[in-house]
Amino acid sequence: WPRERRRGRRRTLAPAVCAVLLVAAGAPAFAAGNAENGQRLAERTCASCHVLPDGANNSVPQGPPTFRTIAAERTDDQLRGFLSQPHKPMPNLSLTRREIDDLIAYFGTIRAKPAR
């Protein structure tokens, strides 16, 4: 009788373990970006329109949100989608996945730092 119980548990446990492994294997894994590379990229390509934290570009045209505002109002998934398919008036930067991951990591550091 106890032996039959153990077999029954194995039969129900094995499919559950397989299901978990299949879901984990199929889940998209986004590589963690490099925030320092993201900051350099932002300084090089974004600072002409957006105000960057700790940056010297405080005289940009009115309109584009600051990086601090973007970091506060957008999730990583929203940023990934937007940077993958930018809208007008933002230029099409044709960023690579790595560059997008780096920028998102940089936005994470902005979220973590309190505004001065």
Side-chain angles (χ1 to χ4, degrees):
W1 198 73
R3 184 177 288 171
E4 288 175 22
R5 260 189 174 163
R6 281 184 270 174
R7 284 185 191 158
R9 283 186 199 150
R10 285 185 199 146
R11 284 187 206 147
T12 57
L13 185 61
V17 170
C18 288
V20 168
L21 292 174
L22 285 173
V23 169
F30 295 111
N34 182 307
E36 290 176 5
N37 288 344
Q39 181 176 1
R40 283 191 291 274
L41 179 61
E43 289 168 350
R44 203 171 53 245
T45 60
C46 308
S48 60
C49 296
H50 295 276
V51 175
L52 305 179
D54 305 326
N57 68 328
N58 291 323
S59 61
V60 295
Q62 185 175 357
T66 66
F67 262 41
R68 188 165 302 287
T69 299
I70 295 168
E73 295 179 356
R74 300 288 183 253
T75 66
D76 288 355
D77 288 337
Q78 290 171 327
L79 289 170
R80 183 171 280 104
F82 185 84
L83 293 170
S84 298
Q85 299 291 323
H87 315 35
K88 290 193 184 271
M90 194 172 129
N92 185 359
L93 302 173
S94 298
L95 299 169
T96 66
R97 288 183 183 173
R98 171 59 58 200
E99 290 170 328
I100 291 171
D101 288 340
D102 292 347
L103 282 170
I104 290 171
Y106 176 51
F107 276 109
T109 65
I110 296 168
R111 284 186 200 108
K113 285 193 262 183
R116 288 188 205 177

